[in-house]
Amino acid sequence: MDVSAHVRSKVLQIRHYVQGQNAVPLSWQHKVLEGAVERFEDKSLLVRKNSIALIKAFLEHNPFSAKLSLAELRRQYGTEDKCCRKFATRWSSRTRRSRKLNSKGNEVNFLKDSIRFAEIISDAVPMLQDIVMSKSQTAVYEAPVTLPVWDQGNQKWSAA
């Protein structure tokens, strides 16, 4: 992380432009999106504003799915993964069938990436809501945002 807020802000602006051009490779999308979510904690208003704009660009140019229903994606992933494993045990030696196996494997990987994208966005929404719904303008403009943490055992959000 750079010391200068201007540099951090400019990096987010450039990433926003690149995402708007659909030029971010799928393999980098999660890392860039996670970096934007991390910038919610930044002490600079301009950096937080540009991180929100970048996340908006990711949602507008979402390569994975029009809807981000995490439960539905997980269900579909489980079904496809089971099917892919079944194909792998049956037809691993046959060349013609292995093309079908590759196709199924690609579908499974795509669903896995879709789930990760939806998880990142789901984690970002409460943070964004805290920023937008804050009654104190100084909390929005000057103070770093406190990030909630998903407690897997209790299945609820808790303070960090």
Side-chain angles (χ1 to χ4, degrees):
M1 181 170 85
D2 200 278
V3 175
S4 171
H6 178 73
V7 172
R8 293 191 306 272
S9 174
K10 223 28 167 169
V11 166
L12 289 168
Q13 286 177 356
I14 291 168
R15 287 179 174 174
H16 179 264
Y17 174 78
V18 171
Q19 178 62 25
Q21 301 297 315
N22 289 326
V24 177
L26 286 177
S27 60
W28 294 5
Q29 293 229 348
H30 296 134
K31 189 170 184 168
V32 173
L33 184 59
E34 286 172 339
V37 171
E38 287 173 4
R39 294 298 98 215
F40 278 155
E41 289 183 310
D42 203 283
K43 61 186 174 186
S44 168
L45 168 65
L46 198 54
V47 174
R48 290 196 308 266
K49 181 180 172 185
N50 284 315
S51 72
I52 292 169
L54 178 57
I55 290 169
K56 179 182 173 213
F58 268 99
L59 289 172
E60 290 173 345
H61 302 284
N62 176 5
F64 298 108
S65 176
K67 60 181 181 175
L68 295 176
S69 168
L70 203 47
E72 178 61 27
L73 287 172
R74 285 183 175 146
R75 184 196 62 74
Q76 193 175 359
Y77 171 75
T79 305
E80 292 296 328
D81 189 42
K82 204 181 286 183
C83 186
C84 185
R85 289 173 196 257
K86 190 180 189 181
F87 278 132
T89 56
R90 255 194 217 161
W91 298 314
S92 60
S93 63
R94 299 179 189 150
T95 315
R96 190 173 204 201
R97 303 291 180 159
S98 68
R99 286 188 201 139
K100 191 169 186 176
L101 180 60
N102 268 350
S103 173
K104 278 290 184 192
N106 289 340
E107 286 179 37
V108 168
N109 287 336
F110 184 80
L111 286 169
K112 189 176 179 181
D113 288 342
S114 298
I115 289 170
R116 184 68 191 126
F117 185 87
E119 287 172 343
I120 294 168
I121 293 297
S122 296
D123 291 347
V125 168
M127 292 179 270
L128 184 58
Q129 184 178 0
D130 287 346
I131 291 172
V132 173
M133 300 303 288
S134 177
K135 292 180 182 178
S136 167
Q137 284 195 349
T138 56
V140 175
Y141 293 129
E142 297 170 4
V145 179
T146 57
L147 298 172
V149 177
W150 179 253
D151 184 1
Q152 193 68 19
N154 296 330
Q155 294 292 312
K156 67 176 185 174
W157 292 99
S158 61

